[in-house]
Amino acid sequence: MTTSAALESFLAELERLRGDAASSLAAASDAGAVEQARIEFVGARSGRLKAVQKLLGGIAPADKPEAGRRFNEIKAAIAELFAAAQDRTAAAAADTAGGPLDVTLPGAAVPLGHLHPITQTIRRVQEIMGRLGFESVDGPEVEDPWHNFEALAIAPEHPARDPLDNFYLAVARTAEPLLLRSQTSTVQIRVMESRRPPLRIVSLGRVYRPDTADATHYPMFHQVEGLLVEPGTTMAHLKSVLRLFASSFLGGDVRVRFRPSFFPFTEPSVEVDMEWGGRWVEMGGAGMVDPAVLKAVGYDPATVSGFAFGLGVERIAARRHGVDDIRDFYRNDVRFLRQF
Ligand code: FA5
């Protein structure tokens, strides 16, 4: 072989090497195939580039500079091909990290949240009382002293009016400061003022008292108020309705107890307790609507009588779900709320 023939053959070998490396890398679809090509073409001991380099020894000295320059150019070109192939396969791997996307699969369920347990309780109470014929009505949370106290026979000097026991609103310095209602009994008055008997209503809503929060108290809580006014209503009707409600809401095994008590707007009055985890817990107050209250709204106590009750919604919800501390309803811990 002449000198120039040796150079030509060397250059041809280099070109073939570059062509083969380019097609191998173009076909490599993942990092493993790129690594295989690396070993074949540029492997330190038996790679094809190394083999071509050895041919440099047979090149005439006059041709060596040219041969060396071309060898370096092709070596750099092959290195660039490798870098590009590595980038390409790494990007493809990142794209399919979660597996290939199958657009025909059904969508994954996204948790949408649900009603707060107190709202669920309110709806359930409305539903049970609805079945007993009690219509749900609403009243305002900001009240005047007439509906929160006077019409309920709570005299001006009564301690229930104390500023320390109520949230009075100082928005306007009127003679009669408004307040956040401290009980839903306000709604009894509003309904009786605007309707004639027979009446069966239930009202559920927020009430406010500056009580210190503990396991059974919160400064904002909810009450369910029931009122029935019909001729011939007696205490026996009140007890039956409350027992029916308690067993529908809490289950047949619930025990209900009535203790003599006092409310200015009912006579006689009782405290309603229910048994909870072997313990008796006060759930609310109740009684026969005082004839003076019936008179104040224009009813004739000689022809109609009625009963009323007011229960703490947080307490009955806690009893139903086995919650020991009503503050848990308002901590907004989704791990707690998700259980309902
Ligand atoms: C009343 O509020 C009367 N209006 C109930 C009533 C209605 C009597 C109709 C007669 C006729 P009392 O203050 O006891 O009564 O409250 C009723 C219930 O509300 C309590 O038994 C309790 O279950 C709940 N309650 C009272 N204060 C709180 C509080 N700070 N946090 C949570 N629940 C409370």
Side-chain angles (χ1 to χ4, degrees), residues 182-185 188 209 211 216-219 221-223 225-226 263 265-266 271 282-287 308-312 314-315 326:
S182 62
Q183 51 184 340
T184 43
S185 298
Q188 290 180 37
R209 294 180 193 177
D211 288 347
T216 51
H217 292 85
Y218 209 71
F221 59 103
H222 296 74
Q223 284 186 336
E225 189 84 11
F263 294 100
F265 41 96
T266 47
E271 211 82 68
E282 179 204 305
M283 294 292 186
F309 62 86
L311 309 178
E314 281 74 5
R315 293 198 194 172
I326 66 165

Side-chain angles (χ1 to χ4, degrees), residues 268-293:
S269 302
V270 289
E271 211 82 68
V272 186
D273 301 338
M274 294 182 196
E275 199 194 36
W276 175 6
R279 214 160 42 93
W280 286 96
V281 178
E282 179 204 305
M283 294 292 186
M288 298 305 293
V289 182
D290 194 304
V293 173

